[in-house]
Amino acid sequence: MDFLTLFLVYLCFVLSTVALLCTCSGRKESFLLRGVSGATQVLSSVIPTQLQSMTQRVLHRLFHTRSCLFVVLHIALQAAVYGEYTWEVLVYCWELQFHLPLLLLPYLLLAGNVGSFVLCSHSNPGVITKSNHVSLVKIYAYDGVLFQKGTMCPSCNLEKPARSKHCRFCSVCVHRFDHHCVWVNNCIGAFNAKYFFLYLLTLSAMAATIAIITAAFLIQVVLLSDVMSGSYIDDQGRERPVDILFLIQHLFLTFPRIVFMLGFVTLLTLVLGAYCCFNLYLALTNQTSNEWHKSRRYKCSHHLRLQPHGRQVVYKNIYSVGAWMNVKEIFKPLRVLERKKK
């Protein structure tokens, strides 16, 4: 086994371990977690120190600093899908007399997605500085549970405004921090949340549209060829009617790249669709991903905070002002004067 192969195996193992540790964070140490930690220690004693140091640098570069790697991967995947759609699916569908506006819809969505991506990745998410700190502190009240008054950021040396968080990737505190998105290489905060929502919406629509058109093309091919009424000879030499499994194999052998792309964009549609629904829920309830995660952890905790008189504190979202106003706040972030009128 050469050095590169050994490095890749070790890197994959460490990445899997990191993913498991992130999944199990906030929970009691389980038997599986202890087993993984023990295996990591054993493997670390076998792997050369130089290889371990290199792996740590790679992981730090990927998960603790801003990197364009995922942006490049995002562009490459998008180019591969649209390349296959343009050179094969579009041509076949045009020959089968599909409606031209339907075939051009993915390109229209692509233009909107690229615009949203550029705005989301290059706009200021709401970086808190000494010049705007005083005004940002006044926008949201401290709920006393997730956000405490007087909490200082040790890195920025500033008092944290309510709903803000320090991003370890960008090394700045962000106003109404949602999360750091590696796919746009930027934080998602108060001032670019609308661009991220549009980016996610257009990306989901792109995947869904390409999946629908591709599936419609394959169904049209099956109907025109009348393959479902035929039969085939199995491995034992018996004649069998065409079933779904044989049809999928036949289509994969006939259009391998198209079927592979259909599977990819279908999976992408399901994942992005679910994430879109989650973000819509957050928008309607005026929560951020950071707040939702912290509130779930708080509600699951058996050590509830006590007020001076011994009363248990129950978390309540004080920032929700109705579904319509909550969504409006995404596209028009609150300013100090607007907040005082509420």
Side-chain angles (χ1 to χ4, degrees):
M1 182 180 292
D2 59 8
F3 181 81
L4 178 60
T5 305
L6 185 63
F7 171 73
L8 291 176
V9 171
Y10 180 63
L11 179 61
C12 290
F13 180 81
V14 174
L15 286 173
S16 302
T17 304
V18 170
L20 182 60
L21 292 174
C22 292
T23 304
C24 298
S25 61
R27 303 176 185 175
K28 292 184 177 180
E29 189 179 28
S30 62
F31 174 77
L32 178 61
L33 188 57
R34 290 197 299 270
V36 171
S37 300
T40 305
Q41 293 176 359
V42 172
L43 191 60
S44 298
S45 63
V46 178
I47 301 298
T49 306
Q50 183 180 3
L51 181 59
Q52 294 183 39
S53 301
M54 184 185 301
T55 306
Q56 291 175 357
R57 288 195 296 270
V58 171
L59 291 176
H60 184 271
R61 177 67 178 173
L62 289 176
F63 299 106
H64 294 280
T65 60
R66 295 189 67 178
S67 172
C68 294
L69 176 63
F70 289 96
V71 175
V72 174
L73 178 61
H74 167 271
I75 295 174
L77 289 174
Q78 206 168 59
V81 169
Y82 269 87
E84 180 61 26
Y85 174 79
T86 301
W87 298 115
E88 289 206 67
V89 177
L90 181 65
V91 174
Y92 288 136
C93 289
W94 178 253
E95 293 177 355
L96 293 174
Q97 298 181 344
F98 277 58
H99 294 294
L100 184 60
L102 176 63
L103 298 178
L104 296 180
L105 181 58
Y107 299 101
L108 180 63
L109 292 171
L110 177 63
N113 181 257
V114 171
S116 302
F117 171 81
V118 172
L119 290 172
C120 187
S121 60
H122 288 82
S123 60
N124 180 8
V127 176
I128 300 173
T129 62
K130 292 182 179 180
S131 58
N132 63 13
H133 176 263
V134 175
S135 60
L136 293 180
V137 166
K138 299 176 182 179
I139 294 180
Y140 292 110
Y142 293 93
D143 61 4
V145 181
L146 301 183
F147 305 103
Q148 304 286 338
K149 185 176 178 58
T151 303
M152 298 293 294
C153 174
S155 300
C156 301
N157 198 26
L158 292 171
E159 181 184 1
K160 290 184 177 181
R163 311 191 76 180
S164 68
K165 188 178 185 298
H166 185 85
C167 176
R168 69 175 186 272
F169 292 89
C170 305
S171 298
V172 293
C173 283
V174 178
H175 174 53
R176 199 183 183 276
F177 178 87
D178 191 277
H179 70 288
H180 181 92
C181 181
V182 295
W183 298 104
V184 300
N185 198 27
N186 197 9
C187 289
I188 309 302
F191 300 146
N192 67 346
K194 53 182 177 292
Y195 304 133
F196 179 75
F197 189 80
L198 294 175
Y199 162 76
L200 189 60
L201 186 63
T202 53
L203 192 62
S204 304
M206 284 165 48
T209 304
I210 293 178
I212 291 172
I213 295 175
T214 305
F217 158 69
L218 293 176
I219 292 173
Q220 189 75 355
V221 169
V222 171
L223 294 176
L224 291 175
S225 63
D226 200 25
V227 68
M228 290 300 295
S229 61
S231 60
Y232 69 98
I233 306 299
D234 63 10
D235 297 336
Q236 285 75 34
R238 292 173 296 184
E239 186 177 358
R240 292 181 177 275
V242 173
D243 54 11
I244 297 298
L245 181 60
F246 175 83
L247 180 63
I248 294 175
Q249 292 176 346
H250 171 70
L251 289 174
F252 186 79
L253 292 174
T254 309
F255 308 103
R257 293 191 299 272
I258 293 179
V259 174
F260 182 80
M261 184 193 72
L262 176 60
F264 175 72
V265 294
T266 299
L267 178 62
L268 199 62
T269 300
L270 296 175
V271 173
L272 291 174
Y275 191 48
C276 263
C277 292
F278 174 66
N279 274 267
L280 180 60
Y281 162 75
L282 293 179
L284 291 172
T285 56
N286 205 333
Q287 297 183 80
T288 64
S289 298
N290 176 54
E291 293 164 3
W292 181 86
H293 175 72
K294 291 173 69 175
S295 65
R296 297 286 83 74
R297 184 173 57 186
Y298 177 81
K299 289 179 180 178
C300 293
S301 175
H302 297 288
H303 303 285
L304 297 177
R305 297 175 63 258
L306 298 179
Q307 288 185 341
H309 299 291
R311 286 192 296 116
Q312 289 184 337
V313 178
V314 178
Y315 172 72
K316 181 181 179 182
N317 181 15
I318 66 172
Y319 305 112
S320 179
V321 289
W324 171 248
M325 294 302 296
N326 291 339
V327 174
K328 185 179 178 181
E329 188 173 322
I330 297 294
F331 292 91
K332 187 180 179 182
L334 291 175
R335 308 293 178 179
V336 178
L337 295 178
E338 294 175 350
R339 192 62 182 174
K340 288 182 177 180
K341 293 179 182 178
K342 290 185 177 294

